[in-house]
Amino acid sequence: MTLRLGLGLPQMPQYDPRRDVRDVARAAEEIGFDSVWGFERTLIPNEPLDGLYGVPGRPWPDFYRHCADPLVTLTLAAAVTDRVRLGSSVLVSGLHAPFPLARMLATLDAASGGRVLAGLGTGWSQDEYRAAGVTAYADRGAQLDELLDVCAAVWGPDPVAYRGRWTEIAPASVGPKPARPVPVYLAGSNGRALERVARRADGWLPGHLTGAQLAPLLGRLRAAAERHGRDAGELDVVLRVGVDLTGAPLPEDGRRPYTGSHEQVLADLAGAADAGAREVLLDFQVHCRDGKELTDRAADLYGRIRAAGL
């Protein structure tokens, strides 16, 4: 099966949101990409409560200082495209009240003709949770479960009714409805997160893993899905990777995956596909200066991937 390819949209400080998002999204569709994606990062604290990705002492990168809102970014992309799917990898559920987020996703899906992929996760930054003021950090898993319930209710037939810990909807008409059932993909790789994917999601959103790292986690996920009476083969897998093409080979000892020469990156992608990734979200934006450079690099690698038979 041909590996599906997605492209991360430009959201970081060096990009012009008036021009680059639309230009890159339009070009991605023309090149042949299957999807375009936005991610969520709301701030960079001067004195973080958590290290990057929750790793104690790990510094936050400076490019998180300015990240365009993912739903606005995807809306801009939807307006200039007709075919590519519009994905979030990921929206941090606890930064959003469930009912308004469910409505925004439904409206975007209706407006785009059924192209939204709702990628959700619990996040890892206590600072972001405090700033949003929606959910306590300790409640992030329970809030994600409620968000999934609210989305199912809001996207379903009227009258919509729901009562939970954070949300109460008296029987009501709620629209617009999505153009079709919006697929929900969930992030996370610990035991609790994989169990939630196995029980509730249409797909899984792992991040920055090699094929060797992906394979055992995917095995655990498929086993969990079968325990819950689901067909593990129906779970989609979209792997997000940060690409840094140096143009020259890097020593394998200590090389970060998806960096180095084209040959090294292609080998990494082949390994991910062999391990079970059905789609890879290629994110070039950290290492590009503007939308044109991002588009040029994406077009070049896309052509090399397809020429390699992936």
Side-chain angles (χ1 to χ4, degrees), residues 38-42 69-71 88-105 118-125 128-151 155 166-167 184-188 193 196 200 205:
F39 76 99
E40 185 156 54
R41 195 87 284 132
T42 60
D69 180 86
L71 289 172
S88 54
S89 179
V90 295
L91 293 173
V92 180
S93 62
L95 308 186
H96 303 270
F99 180 68
L101 181 57
R103 290 197 64 246
M104 284 188 279
L105 290 167
L120 304 165
T122 56
W124 47 264
S125 169
E128 289 188 326
Y129 271 77
R130 289 186 177 188
V134 175
T135 311
Y137 183 74
D139 293 329
R140 61 195 184 280
Q143 196 263 7
L144 174 55
D145 283 325
E146 180 161 313
L147 171 61
L148 297 176
D149 291 339
V150 171
C151 284
W155 298 344
W166 292 274
T167 311
V184 173
Y185 287 43
L186 298 177
R196 185 181 286 111
R200 310 206 60 176
L205 293 171

Side-chain angles (χ1 to χ4, degrees), residues 71-226:
L71 289 172
V72 173
T73 299
L74 291 172
T75 301
L76 290 169
V80 296
T81 57
D82 298 304
R83 176 186 57 79
V84 289
R85 289 174 300 128
L86 308 159
S88 54
S89 179
V90 295
L91 293 173
V92 180
S93 62
L95 308 186
H96 303 270
F99 180 68
L101 181 57
R103 290 197 64 246
M104 284 188 279
L105 290 167
T107 301
L108 181 57
D109 192 72
S112 65
R115 293 189 282 140
V116 169
L117 188 159
L120 304 165
T122 56
W124 47 264
S125 169
Q126 296 182 69
D127 289 291
E128 289 188 326
Y129 271 77
R130 289 186 177 188
V134 175
T135 311
Y137 183 74
D139 293 329
R140 61 195 184 280
Q143 196 263 7
L144 174 55
D145 283 325
E146 180 161 313
L147 171 61
L148 297 176
D149 291 339
V150 171
C151 284
V154 169
W155 298 344
D158 291 330
V160 173
Y162 181 83
R163 176 174 290 183
R165 180 174 171 185
W166 292 274
T167 311
E168 183 172 347
I169 309 170
S173 297
V174 181
K177 299 298 183 183
R180 87 313 190 202
V182 177
V184 173
Y185 287 43
L186 298 177
S189 57
N190 63 31
R192 187 175 298 177
L194 290 177
E195 282 290 325
R196 185 181 286 111
V197 175
R199 286 186 294 108
R200 310 206 60 176
D202 298 293
W204 180 39
L205 293 171
H208 312 292
L209 300 178
T210 65
Q213 293 167 328
L214 178 64
L217 290 171
L218 187 51
R220 288 171 53 192
L221 175 60
R222 288 171 172 164
E226 291 172 356

